[in-house]
Amino acid sequence: MKILVVGSGAREHALCWRLARSPGVTEVLCAPGNAGIAACAEIVMIAPTAVGDLLSLAKERGVALTIVGPEVALEAGIVDLFEAHKMPIAGPSKAAAMLETSKSFAKEVMVAAGVPTATYEVFTSEAPLREYCKRQGAPLVLKADGLASGKGVFVIQHEQDFEDAFASLFGSLKAERVVVEEFLAGVEVSCIFASNGEDLIPLAPAHDYKRLMDEDLGPNTGGMGSVCPSPRISGAELEWIQERCAAPILKEMKKRGTPFKGFLYAGLMVPTDPAQRPEGIRVLEYNTRLGDPECQSILVRLASAPVELFEWIAGVRGEKPTVQWSNLTSVCVVVASNGYPENVITGDEIVGAELASLVPGVVVFHAATVRNERGALVCAGGRTLSIVGIGESRESARRSAYKAVDMIQLRGNRTRRDIGS
Ligand code: AMP
Ligand code: GLY
């Protein structure tokens, strides 16, 4: 069968890599892909938001199943269009993807579904927001309502940081709505559930590292690394999360006539004190897709056939598949470009990616990479490579990942040294 993967990040590289080595998959197409994906899929230069062109491609090439990576394609209505043309696709409709594309909508659904989450208020103009923040004081969390690639959230620890947040929210982000939330303490875990609209299958839990610098310092990013399985929650806690934080959302979305099928990613804050768990676990956000870089560390551990899972999500397979995981641990380290996330510098050569991929127990996934006229690998955006180490323990996975990371040369790259420690 032919499969089309939509997107161009390391997440999509991991998807293409895993699908290309799956029984029954004859061809993988990826639009628009990247220089690394070209090794395991045919690259087609169509943007993820050009949904009409993607539909024509899928029809012309006899694609049996399309898998959507990024939220921008969901927001552009790719699933609605493909489904209207009876083309199987694994992902949520535009209406269901609002769980990610609008933070205020997600909050409203969480409250209606009785999901545990931080208390919040929504503001549509600056003056009342300022007044509220002044009254509440720090710590407080401010979030722009729409998609902002992980850059629209401001965790305010000190009063003096409010001004910078207001400047970004109403300046570069042009936020029309701002969600203000109570600050939650704890550690973060990403629990992703596959859904066919009726039922759920949990993926192995992972956690990612949102801050740019070691020890969780610096600005929020799209994610600088990930670990799977996450040691931060137990199997029993994952079951609690499924029951309290995922299943009620499925029920609520179905009730509203916009059933959720695809990957429901619950970003959770987990209290560090075991006495407060699981009852103190709170949902920070939903994403409506696989996480990046969580997907990279999750997929390398997937032992069962991925196609069955995607077919079940897309509704072309009725029987619920059994998903199996290897006993190994994976640690994914993101190598980001000079200046990421604020002032990304592109065009610099990346040396050593092929050598790094030869380290035993390592897989190198590309994100923003292109080849120049000499065939050399060049940085084309923020996050450039995801380097995944796989091992018997987190320590050995981490060691392999950093051995490979140390082989990469990219001028001024931003890479955390504490992933998985
Ligand atoms: P979000 O995009 O809503 O997940 O927010 C991005 C990041 O901001 C999260 O991964 C957390 O690190 C942090 N964050 C979001 N909401 C809160 C909150 N209510 N309390 C503490 N930290 C938060
Ligand atoms: N790693 C966070 C995200 O995919 O949004």
Side-chain angles (χ1 to χ4, degrees):
M1 90 192 277
K2 276 189 204 174
I3 298 191
L4 169 63
V5 173
V6 176
S8 62
R11 168 184 50 207
E12 288 76 22
H13 192 178
L15 281 165
C16 292
W17 170 87
R18 188 63 187 80
L19 289 163
R21 50 177 56 212
S22 304
V25 176
T26 52
E27 212 176 323
V28 183
L29 308 179
C30 187
N34 61 44
I37 294 178
C40 56
E42 180 187 332
I43 301 299
V44 188
M45 276 299 168
I46 301 176
T49 47
V51 294
D53 294 346
L54 291 167
L55 176 69
S56 305
L57 170 75
K59 283 186 168 176
E60 275 161 27
R61 298 293 298 270
V63 166
L65 180 64
T66 298
I67 298 168
V68 189
E71 60 278 19
V72 286
L74 301 171
E75 195 178 38
I78 188 169
V79 173
D80 309 66
L81 182 67
F82 273 57
E83 287 189 339
H85 288 259
K86 307 248 175 308
M87 294 294 284
I89 185 160
S93 65
K94 184 175 173 166
M98 269 179 71
L99 285 171
E100 171 165 4
T101 57
S102 166
K103 288 192 185 286
S104 58
F105 174 76
K107 280 297 214 183
E108 188 254 306
V109 175
M110 278 191 252
V111 171
V115 167
T117 187
T119 56
Y120 76 106
E121 298 279 340
V122 182
F123 292 89
T124 49
S125 61
E126 194 171 340
L129 171 70
R130 280 179 173 275
E131 198 182 304
Y132 179 83
C133 291
K134 200 169 171 194
R135 220 169 40 235
Q136 295 289 317
L140 210 56
V141 182
L142 276 56
K143 303 182 176 185
D145 198 31
L147 289 178
S149 309
K151 290 157 212 151
V153 175
F154 302 86
V155 180
I156 307 296
Q157 299 283 8
H158 309 285
E159 308 281 328
Q160 66 265 29
D161 298 333
F162 275 121
E163 279 309 320
D164 282 350
F166 296 145
S168 298
L169 284 165
F170 298 105
S172 57
L173 291 166
K174 298 191 174 60
E176 285 174 11
R177 280 162 167 265
V178 177
V179 174
V180 184
E181 277 185 17
E182 95 185 271
F183 172 80
L184 300 170
V187 290
E188 288 179 53
V189 179
S190 309
C191 291
I192 303 177
F193 300 89
S195 173
N196 65 350
E198 301 277 338
D199 202 355
L200 294 164
I201 300 176
L203 304 190
H207 64 256
D208 78 339
Y209 297 74
K210 295 248 166 43
R211 300 295 186 115
L212 179 67
M213 295 185 297
D214 287 11
E215 294 175 29
D216 289 334
L217 297 173
N220 264 324
T221 69
M224 297 300 289
S226 63
V227 172
C228 180
S230 173
R232 295 177 177 176
I233 55 163
S234 65
E237 284 165 345
L238 179 59
E239 278 178 31
W240 185 91
I241 291 162
Q242 174 164 342
E243 207 174 292
R244 298 289 310 276
C245 306
I249 294 292
L250 226 57
K251 210 169 146 197
E252 180 66 25
M253 292 303 279
K254 195 176 160 195
K255 195 173 100 188
R256 293 178 182 220
T258 50
F260 184 91
K261 61 185 195 55
F263 289 101
L264 182 66
Y265 164 139
L268 303 149
M269 190 64 92
V270 178
T272 44
D273 178 1
Q276 293 175 21
R277 297 195 334 227
E279 282 73 21
I281 295 174
R282 297 279 177 276
V283 174
L284 290 174
E285 63 157 351
Y286 291 109
N287 292 321
T288 56
R289 52 175 173 82
L290 287 164
D292 183 346
E294 290 93 332
C295 173
Q296 294 86 301
S297 55
I298 292 172
L299 275 191
V300 295
R301 295 187 57 244
L302 179 65
S304 49
V307 177
E308 291 175 11
L309 182 66
F310 291 114
E311 285 183 329
W312 178 75
I313 294 172
V316 291
R317 170 182 292 269
E319 196 188 336
K320 193 174 176 180
T322 310
V323 175
Q324 284 159 342
W325 305 98
S326 85
N327 290 325
L328 302 174
T329 292
S330 51
V331 170
C332 168
V333 181
V334 170
V335 177
S337 62
N338 192 357
Y340 179 77
E342 287 100 0
N343 301 302
V344 172
I345 296 173
T346 59
D348 282 332
E349 207 167 308
I350 306 163
V351 177
E354 265 143 54
L355 211 58
S357 68
L358 299 177
V359 174
V362 165
V363 193
V364 175
F365 296 123
H366 290 223
T369 65
V370 290
R371 298 226 175 249
N372 67 13
E373 61 288 352
R374 288 182 292 110
L377 203 62
V378 166
C379 165
R383 293 184 289 177
T384 58
L385 298 172
S386 274
I387 299 190
V388 187
I390 307 151
E392 298 283 343
S393 65
R394 194 161 80 244
E395 194 39 52
S396 68
R398 182 180 138 74
R399 227 178 296 124
S400 303
Y402 278 106
K403 190 171 173 191
V405 166
D406 289 339
M407 293 175 169
I408 305 294
Q409 294 168 42
L410 168 63
R411 188 172 63 99
N413 73 78
R414 297 194 159 177
T415 307
R416 278 181 65 155
R417 299 300 308 184
D418 63 344
I419 307 298
S421 62

